[in-house]
Amino acid sequence: MTYKNLDSSSAFKQLQAMPASNLKHVLNPARIKTYHAKAGGGLTYHYGAMPIAEEHLNVLQQLSEELSLTEKYQAVVDGQVMNTGEKRLVLHHLSRGQVGKPVSADGEDKGAFYQAQLQKIERFSSQVRSGAILGSTGKKFSTVVQIGIGGSDLGPRALYLALKGWCASKEIELIDAQFISNVDPDDAQAVLNNLDLESTLFILVSKSGTTLETLTNRDLVIQAIEASGIRGIDPAKHMVAVTSKTSPLATSSSVLESFFIDDYIGGRYSSTSAVGAVVLSLSFGFDVFNSLLDGAHEADVLALNPNIKENAALLDALLGVYLRNVLLYPTTAILPYSQALSRFPAHLQQLDMESNGKHVNRDGLSISYPTGPVIFGEPGTNGQHSFYQLLHQGTDIVPLQFIGFSESQYHKDIVVEGSTSQEKLSANLVAQIVAFALGKDDVKPNKQFTGNRPSSLLSARQLDPQALGALLAHYENKVMFQGFIWNLNSFDQEGVQLGKVLATKVLDGCKGDEVLKAFSELL
Ligand SMILES: O=P(O)(O)OC[C@H]1O[C@H](O)[C@H](O)[C@@H](O)[C@@H]1O
């Protein structure tokens, strides 16, 4: 298996020498019907509006082989140490099914460990949902509140919002979930204001068990419960923990129950582990969460295929690198035409930018080509009335990743002027792809659309648990493959440490650091 920097790849040099296809000339119905690949969970990845032709795809296939991309993925799922910075295995795929060989570490079978945690979560969540486990004053739990930040917040929150409507439409009994993440006390207070504490279960989630924001919010919540004056209420009976066995939280006796993850699942990859399992199983029931795992596993299996035309995540990764490293586009927008995916772009921001926002390769050596793009996004059509102006006519070209579904979740809709709202939503999505690709001439310069602006589309019939699981895994695998292409270690995040260290110094009175002191006096 070869590890080398992208700029030493002969396929990459070949790609750089090839002119891009102009979408204004190549986009046609036949191409749209041909350029797609299955992405699992009923999802399809469409790449007809990418500025490439068969020649580019052939060279991208060579690039994939030259850089041993699927072999590296195989090494991940077989349990090799692929997080080189922290010398750890990378096992998030195993949290939703076995893709490679059985993996043992720390003297245990890791697949069995994740399964055992899932079984424990299944039991606990069904006992809470049935009322077999009650709050300390005898009330049934009707709300759960996840306290966590980063990967312990963004993914689970995005998935909760994504499935709430689908579950309601299936008449699945919902336990409402809320989230506290920011150390800004107003975040916790805004959630606490509307809670009936007697029927609330808090889920304290921190893999490390040391994150300042999360521990502070835990204390804030405990104090609020103690100060509530509710007779007989016991904070310990209203809190569960999700953490790693080695964390300081693991031995805490002040929780009702603990669920475990381990150091081999990074925070931003932890939505399919206990980090997402507890809140989603409590809210929707374990079966819904299990279907999400099935969709993710299906996408993981597809991602092993060495044929890039049959491997949506790999192809998306390669096309993304083409846009970033050959055409030198610095950003990517995530545009879900689904209100339920309102927090999905925020999750992808962490997933992508914390994984691949790196300037040294996996061996710690400087690299001289661009790596991860800036990721941002909002649901359509809202974004159309906001930042799409720049996307259509700005001086930077921003590659676009559309996500869309032909059916709504609730199936409640109205016909106005001959079309349903869902049809209007889909029509807008299609219109945008074509407008970006083909543009429009006009005698007035300010009304001209230059076009040739690339996009892709991930689509499915409906945003259901399988499609959502596959969507999540698609992006995790895309980011992983891009990390391999850039020769990065995508699984550590040293870039977030400096700010944490300096914030501690500020809290300690800056200890001789004049600049920190000067700034801290401003607030
Ligand atoms: O789950 P925790 O250990 O509390 O970590 C929460 C988050 O904080 C860190 O600063 C990392 O940048 C994130 O990757 C992580 O997800």
Side-chain angles (χ1 to χ4, degrees):
M1 202 154 58
T2 337
Y3 286 97
K4 60 178 174 188
N5 285 357
L6 179 62
D7 52 1
S8 64
S9 145
S10 56
F12 178 64
K13 285 177 190 139
Q14 227 179 304
L15 207 57
Q16 283 178 306
M18 293 167 73
S21 301
N22 187 328
L23 286 168
K24 289 167 84 163
H25 306 142
V26 299
L27 191 66
N28 61 46
R31 180 178 159 104
I32 292 165
K33 286 191 183 124
T34 318
Y35 277 9
H36 54 79
K38 284 198 169 60
L43 272 183
T44 305
Y45 172 66
H46 304 264
Y47 55 100
M50 281 288 173
I52 47 100
E54 278 308 301
E55 306 86 87
H56 299 90
L57 290 170
N58 292 338
V59 181
L60 289 172
Q61 179 70 47
Q62 284 171 38
L63 180 66
S64 177
E65 287 161 22
E66 191 184 346
L67 299 179
S68 316
L69 299 183
T70 50
E71 287 88 338
K72 284 172 186 163
Y73 173 37
Q74 187 73 52
V76 168
V77 293
D78 285 345
Q80 289 189 30
V81 177
M82 296 300 272
N83 176 351
T84 44
E86 295 171 317
K87 308 220 170 356
R88 289 177 182 166
L89 285 59
V90 175
L91 297 183
H92 53 274
H93 301 94
L94 196 52
S95 68
R96 54 237 189 182
Q98 193 169 323
V99 186
K101 295 179 189 152
V103 179
S104 290
D106 310 331
E108 64 181 355
D109 176 321
K110 297 311 293 184
F113 168 69
Y114 299 139
Q115 274 306 317
Q117 292 308 310
L118 277 184
Q119 281 161 12
K120 191 172 165 186
I121 292 165
E122 180 176 11
R123 261 196 319 276
F124 179 79
S125 59
S126 74
Q127 285 174 326
V128 169
R129 288 171 64 80
S130 71
I133 294 177
L134 297 171
S136 56
T137 59
K139 276 198 181 177
K140 199 173 170 197
F141 288 115
S142 59
T143 305
V144 291
V145 179
Q146 176 133 334
I147 307 171
I149 198 165
S152 296
D153 167 60
L154 290 163
R157 190 195 293 246
L159 299 182
Y160 171 75
L161 294 174
L163 287 183
K164 205 177 162 186
W166 184 86
C167 288
S169 77
K170 300 285 172 214
E171 292 177 3
I172 292 169
E173 194 195 331
L174 286 178
I175 290 189
D176 184 47
Q178 309 220 23
F179 296 83
I180 299 174
S181 55
N182 201 330
V183 76
D184 177 348
D186 291 346
D187 188 18
Q189 201 50 53
V191 172
L192 287 170
N193 281 343
N194 300 315
L195 289 181
D196 169 24
L197 291 172
E198 289 178 84
S199 58
T200 301
L201 180 64
F202 293 90
I203 310 166
L204 179 68
V205 187
S206 177
K207 184 175 98 165
S208 61
T210 59
T211 303
L212 170 117
E213 290 88 337
T214 303
L215 297 181
T216 305
N217 281 323
R218 172 198 57 181
D219 292 351
L220 190 155
V221 161
I222 291 174
Q223 279 187 27
I225 298 174
E226 285 170 349
S228 67
I230 300 167
R231 188 197 295 252
I233 196 163
D234 175 1
K237 297 270 168 19
H238 288 258
M239 194 169 286
V240 295
V242 181
T243 190
S244 62
K245 278 188 174 163
T246 49
S247 98
L249 285 181
T251 49
S252 167
S253 56
S254 54
V255 290
L256 181 59
E257 190 58 272
S258 294
F259 305 96
F260 295 108
I261 47 172
D262 60 29
D263 285 341
Y264 307 131
I265 298 184
R268 55 195 173 276
Y269 297 93
S270 67
S271 299
T272 51
S273 74
V275 167
V278 175
V279 62
L280 297 174
S281 301
L282 283 166
S283 288
F284 305 140
F286 182 77
D287 288 349
V288 172
F289 182 71
N290 214 23
S291 301
L292 181 142
L293 295 185
D294 287 345
H297 180 62
E298 195 188 333
D300 290 344
V301 172
L302 284 174
L304 276 176
N305 193 326
N307 180 350
I308 67 166
K309 287 187 175 178
E310 293 170 5
N311 185 336
L314 177 58
L315 184 54
D316 194 358
L318 287 159
L319 291 171
V321 166
Y322 178 69
L323 298 170
R324 183 78 182 102
N325 297 86
V326 178
L327 303 183
L328 301 173
Y329 301 148
T331 56
T332 296
I334 310 290
L335 307 171
Y337 275 59
S338 161
Q339 194 57 30
L341 290 176
S342 60
R343 291 298 288 166
F344 197 66
H347 167 60
L348 293 192
Q349 241 169 8
Q350 185 197 7
L351 175 68
D352 201 320
M353 294 169 78
E354 208 171 60
S355 295
N356 289 338
K358 313 267 165 80
H359 73 291
V360 294
N361 70 12
R362 69 197 296 278
D363 302 314
L365 301 169
S366 282
I367 43 179
S368 53
Y369 44 83
T371 59
V374 173
I375 303 288
F376 72 101
E378 279 290 326
T381 61
N382 297 25
Q384 290 176 209
H385 302 274
S386 160
F387 55 85
Y388 277 37
Q389 165 64 42
L390 182 148
L391 304 185
H392 280 290
Q393 292 187 314
T395 48
D396 276 316
I397 291 188
V398 180
L400 312 165
Q401 298 230 288
F402 289 99
I403 302 168
F405 306 92
S406 47
E407 291 178 17
S408 66
Q409 289 188 317
Y410 287 105
H411 283 293
K412 286 191 177 151
D413 208 339
I414 53 160
V415 177
V416 175
E417 294 182 10
S419 60
T420 64
S421 297
Q422 183 65 32
E423 285 164 352
K424 290 182 179 74
L425 180 69
S426 298
N428 269 279
L429 195 171
V430 170
Q432 290 296 332
I433 292 176
V434 174
F436 282 115
L438 301 183
K440 181 181 83 77
D441 282 335
D442 199 290
V443 281
K444 292 193 178 144
N446 65 334
K447 290 181 188 280
Q448 261 172 21
F449 290 74
T450 50
N452 197 24
R453 295 185 181 230
S455 66
S456 64
L457 167 66
L458 277 160
S459 73
R461 185 180 62 78
Q462 195 188 35
L463 181 59
D464 60 19
Q466 284 92 346
L468 182 65
L471 185 67
L472 179 82
H474 173 89
Y475 276 104
E476 290 179 1
N477 292 327
K478 172 189 173 175
V479 165
M480 170 193 71
F481 282 128
Q482 291 195 324
F484 295 155
I485 300 170
W486 288 318
N487 203 22
L488 304 174
N489 172 23
S490 301
F491 306 108
D492 65 1
Q493 57 287 322
E494 294 301 327
V496 301
Q497 295 308 327
L498 177 60
K500 289 186 193 174
V501 172
L502 292 182
T504 307
K505 272 185 135 189
V506 172
L507 288 171
D508 288 347
C510 304
K511 294 207 176 115
D513 193 317
E514 297 301 320
V515 179
L516 284 178
K517 194 160 175 23
F519 273 116
S520 66
E521 280 163 3
L522 298 177
L523 287 170

